[in-house]
Amino acid sequence: MLAYLAKRLVMMVPMLIGITIITFVVIHLAPGSPVDAITEMNPKASAEARENLKRIYGLDKPLHVQYVDWVRRLAVMDLGTSFTDGRQVLRKILDALPITILINVLSMFLILMVSVPIGIISATKQYSLFDKATTVFVFVGFAMPTFWLALLLMIFFGVYLGWLPISGLQSMHADQLSFWGLFWDRAQHLILPIFVSSFGGLAGYSRYMRSSMLEVVRQDYIRTARAKGLSENRVIYKHALRNALMSTITILGLAIPGLIGGSAIFEQIFAIPGMGKLFLESTWSRDFPVVMGILVIGALLTLIGNMIADIGYALVDPRIRVEGGE
Amino acid sequence: MRSSESYLQIVGRRFRRNRLAVSGSVIILLLFALALLAPVLSRYDPAVIDVNNILSAPSWEHWMGTDESGRDVMSRMIYGARISMLVGFVAVGIATFIGILFGAVAGYYGGRIDAVIMRFVDIMLCFPTFFLILAVIAILEPGLMNIMIVIGVTGWMGVARLVRAEFLSLKEQEYVQAARAFGSSDLRIIFRHLLPNAMAPVLVSATFGIAGAILTESALSFFGLGVQPPTPSWGNILGSGYKYIDFAHWLSVFPGLAILITALGYNLLGEGLRDALDPRLEGSQ
């Protein structure tokens, strides 16, 4: 296991380098000098900001020197300062990150809690009414524009029924609330965002869980379990479920970039001050230091998430760590 | 030749029997008709402003009402279909082209080339795609052309993995070895012998990809970073109309529904294609 861990860690190094190269290339896509392109479109960028940018990207030097300098700053987490308010980019990102991570983790939890049972029932009762109903849900889930879903829910639950708050993280009077009062207030604000951010994943994972269950129940060891007279419940929930869950958990890591990317949409609509909203607003105002910073950190988070998923997979499936995996 | 013909016939028969696939194709054919016949079908010029008719509810004159400038929403929706159809095809065309190129080279040559290309794929997959798209759009200026290219350039990784996997198993087969023994060039083997046999899963994933590209375009246009007004797209109709959702819901309901139905159509078609092209997978997916 230790050898496997070490191997995975070593493999992260070229990935890290690749992530920084791609981010660096993206900022240099701007036609002409990046500083001109950036500042010309951003009236707020003062001469000072231009100098600031030149310092960060060292634009008077050859490209490879610029890259090395930038990575060196990145290594000590110097992401520069924001165009719009002059604050440290790292500070801005760290302020916005916790709420985004909280919502994504809760969404992931909700996705697993709901889609695993749905997948099992759909697979064990294939072509039943339940299976057909969830199939319809899955198709709608895949085709749903998230921002539209968010708007509809906001109007229905927030404005029409008046049950849930429609924006922000807490109510105006939040500071007068007791601990539990504040907890409930926050929870109410998070219901719609979490539901919207899970929606696509719910569809995808229900479908995935269903097919991996269907595949597992065709295996020989399930036939053996049935043949030796185990009850159907034991066969499904003990023998089949474990194996079907394994493959489902591995693809959880793959869902991270989608969840982070999606956060731009629902955070903006529900006015949640997270990383997605910060990113979207930074692209609007062409606040490039922030854009680049979030791009790198978002990719790093994904890399770490994938790593955790891989290690989890290696823990539950001995074959992976023996063979070294892919 | 005869055998390939009958394979296509089998696929066609299986496809026609699949109700989901048929309804998906009907939806898409209708949308294409809408997009092509837009000037004939729309009763108003989608760009004409009518200050006496601002935000009027759906009526006989304006089936889907009018927007904040008094423009006919239905005409704008019909022209918006053009954008969705175009973006879907061009973006996925670009993604598929790049994906096939990388996947074929990686799968055919293997070894170090394969390792480098696949690491590149892994690295690209680390970026939250929507963020990457937003960042590039912010640098290159929003616009129809740019978003099609950017969605394509950030969406090829799945195809590359698919093609590589197909090539890895196909290249070991005897007919490929025979072709090599006859002295066929690498290019000939890749394009004549391997690629046609690897196309089925690529076609399926491209169909799903079109739905994804249309959803991405609509989200970008919704946030003002995609197709720019006055050109109507479903996303930007929604983006400028949702502010009036309290009293002019038609500006939010119709475009969203159109996006949903279009993406649904492509997904149904993709599902049907998968079942029809690969009998082994039927029911399991």
Side-chain angles (χ1 to χ4, degrees):
Chain A
M1 189 65 208
L2 268 178
Y4 175 77
L5 251 177
K7 197 173 159 195
R8 292 290 321 180
L9 277 174
V10 171
M11 267 170 68
M12 267 177 82
V13 176
M15 300 279 290
L16 279 174
I17 297 172
I19 287 170
T20 55
I21 291 179
I22 289 177
T23 312
F24 187 76
V25 167
V26 165
I27 185 84
H28 282 85
L29 277 178
S33 155
V35 171
D36 291 342
I38 291 161
T39 50
E40 157 201 1
M41 290 180 278
N42 188 339
K44 283 178 186 158
S46 57
E48 187 190 345
R50 290 172 62 104
E51 284 315 305
N52 181 23
L53 244 197
K54 277 197 174 149
R55 180 186 68 84
I56 294 170
Y57 297 104
L59 290 166
D60 40 342
K61 298 172 192 154
L63 272 181
H64 64 277
V65 180
Q66 288 180 37
Y67 171 73
V68 172
D69 282 355
W70 179 67
V71 169
R72 203 171 277 159
R73 287 206 185 82
L74 202 63
V76 293
M77 280 292 156
D78 174 9
L79 299 174
T81 53
S82 161
F83 284 165
T84 44
D85 55 10
R87 288 177 64 205
Q88 285 286 317
V89 171
L90 185 67
R91 202 58 259 151
K92 284 185 92 157
I93 294 176
L94 288 181
D95 284 348
L97 197 56
I99 185 65
T100 302
I101 290 184
L102 176 71
I103 292 178
N104 282 337
V105 168
L106 290 176
S107 303
M108 206 100 107
F109 186 70
L110 180 72
I111 289 171
L112 273 184
M113 293 310 287
V114 176
S115 60
V116 168
I118 287 182
I120 297 171
I121 300 173
S122 303
T124 49
K125 300 203 167 52
Q126 204 182 355
Y127 305 128
S128 64
L129 191 63
F130 180 87
D131 185 31
K132 284 181 181 147
T134 51
T135 303
V136 172
F137 162 72
V138 164
F139 274 107
V140 172
F142 276 139
M144 180 66 81
T146 333
F147 58 96
W148 190 57
L149 177 71
L151 287 176
L152 292 185
L153 292 174
M154 205 162 106
I155 284 304
F156 188 69
F157 288 103
V159 179
Y160 182 69
L161 292 176
W163 287 356
L164 293 168
I166 55 171
S167 78
L169 270 183
Q170 54 188 28
S171 310
M172 304 280 263
H173 61 278
D175 39 344
Q176 299 151 28
L177 290 169
S178 65
F179 177 76
W180 288 110
L182 185 65
F183 181 81
W184 177 233
D185 185 59
R186 289 240 166 167
Q188 278 184 313
H189 280 84
L190 287 179
I191 290 176
L192 289 182
I194 289 174
F195 181 75
V196 171
S197 98
S198 329
F199 197 75
L202 279 178
Y205 279 88
S206 311
R207 199 63 171 169
Y208 192 83
M209 190 63 204
R210 176 181 182 267
S211 28
S212 67
M213 262 320 252
L214 282 175
E215 193 155 323
V216 167
V217 293
R218 286 184 197 147
Q219 302 291 319
D220 286 341
Y221 57 82
I222 295 298
R223 194 176 309 149
T224 312
R226 287 212 175 103
K228 69 182 184 184
L230 292 181
S231 71
E232 187 61 19
N233 271 340
R234 209 175 152 78
V235 172
I236 295 297
Y237 291 99
K238 188 103 186 163
H239 293 240
L241 178 58
R242 279 193 171 186
N243 289 286
L245 261 183
M246 236 185 307
S247 54
T248 306
I249 285 171
T250 21
I251 65 163
L252 265 186
L254 296 176
I256 299 170
L259 281 173
I260 297 180
S263 63
I265 293 171
F266 68 81
E267 283 179 5
Q268 181 61 33
I269 290 176
F270 291 113
I272 290 169
M275 200 161 81
K277 186 164 182 284
L278 177 64
F279 190 82
L280 195 60
E281 283 171 350
S282 306
T283 54
W284 274 329
S285 58
R286 296 172 200 279
D287 192 344
F288 284 93
V290 181
V291 170
M292 293 298 113
I294 295 184
L295 214 48
V296 171
I297 289 185
L300 282 181
L301 285 179
T302 310
L303 193 61
I304 296 167
N306 279 337
M307 170 100 181
I308 293 173
D310 278 356
I311 293 172
Y313 197 37
L315 280 175
V316 292
D317 189 348
R319 283 171 303 186
I320 301 294
R321 51 180 190 265
V322 174
E323 289 159 16
E326 231 277 298
Chain B
M1 200 54 219
R2 180 164 292 250
S3 72
S4 85
E5 230 180 290
S6 65
Y7 171 68
L8 282 184
Q9 277 168 358
I10 294 170
V11 168
R13 186 161 42 79
R14 296 174 58 86
F15 189 81
R16 280 192 299 275
R17 259 205 333 238
N18 188 325
R19 268 182 303 163
L20 292 180
V22 172
S23 36
S25 343
V26 170
I27 293 174
I28 290 158
L29 286 177
L30 282 176
L31 283 163
F32 264 103
L34 212 60
L36 286 174
L37 300 176
V40 184
L41 292 172
S42 49
R43 298 194 294 163
Y44 298 87
D45 183 328
V48 164
I49 291 169
D50 180 357
V51 281
N52 297 318
N53 230 340
I54 286 172
L55 293 176
S56 56
S59 62
W60 271 112
E61 281 72 45
H62 300 281
W63 288 3
M64 294 186 179
T66 61
D67 69 3
E68 71 277 12
S69 312
R71 294 173 295 194
D72 179 52
V73 175
M74 185 149 169
S75 306
R76 294 178 64 73
M77 292 284 298
I78 294 173
Y79 275 91
R82 293 187 153 184
I83 300 288
S84 291
M85 296 294 114
L86 187 68
V87 168
F89 264 84
V90 176
V92 170
I94 295 172
T96 308
F97 177 78
I98 303 175
I100 287 178
L101 207 68
F102 277 124
V105 170
Y108 185 76
Y109 292 103
R112 193 162 290 176
I113 299 176
D114 178 37
V116 169
I117 291 178
M118 284 303 117
R119 277 305 80 74
F120 181 45
V121 168
D122 289 342
I123 291 164
M124 285 294 290
L125 284 172
C126 276
F127 287 97
T129 313
F130 196 63
F131 278 15
L132 200 56
I133 293 173
L134 285 175
V136 179
I137 292 290
I139 291 169
L140 293 183
E141 290 277 286
L144 179 60
M145 201 59 186
N146 282 344
I147 59 170
M148 290 192 297
I149 295 172
V150 175
I151 295 174
V153 169
T154 52
W156 52 271
M157 292 82 80
V159 182
R161 281 188 164 175
L162 266 180
V163 173
R164 170 184 177 262
E166 290 289 316
F167 269 42
L168 281 179
S169 66
L170 284 173
K171 75 174 177 185
E172 302 303 331
Q173 298 207 351
E174 278 160 10
Y175 77 95
V176 180
Q177 287 168 1
R180 198 172 292 141
F182 285 139
S184 301
S185 66
D186 285 356
L187 276 182
R188 192 180 161 82
I189 293 176
I190 289 177
F191 287 105
R192 285 298 297 258
H193 299 293
L194 293 171
L195 200 52
N197 286 302
M199 277 318 277
V202 173
L203 202 64
V204 173
S205 104
T207 314
F208 289 122
I210 292 178
I214 289 173
L215 288 174
T216 306
E217 177 275 323
S218 67
L220 288 171
S221 299
F222 176 79
F223 287 119
L225 292 162
V227 177
Q228 296 299 301
T231 308
S233 93
W234 295 337
N236 70 25
I237 297 174
L238 237 170
S240 57
Y242 86 95
K243 293 169 229 133
Y244 314 104
I245 196 167
D246 293 353
F247 51 91
H249 56 82
W250 55 91
L251 284 176
S252 304
V253 171
F254 293 122
L257 214 53
I259 300 163
L260 175 69
I261 291 172
T262 310
L264 193 64
Y266 278 107
N267 283 341
L268 291 174
L269 181 66
E271 196 83 358
L273 272 179
R274 169 158 59 196
D275 289 348
L277 287 168
D278 192 347
R280 285 169 306 168
L281 291 172
E282 193 175 30
S284 72
Q285 292 290 307

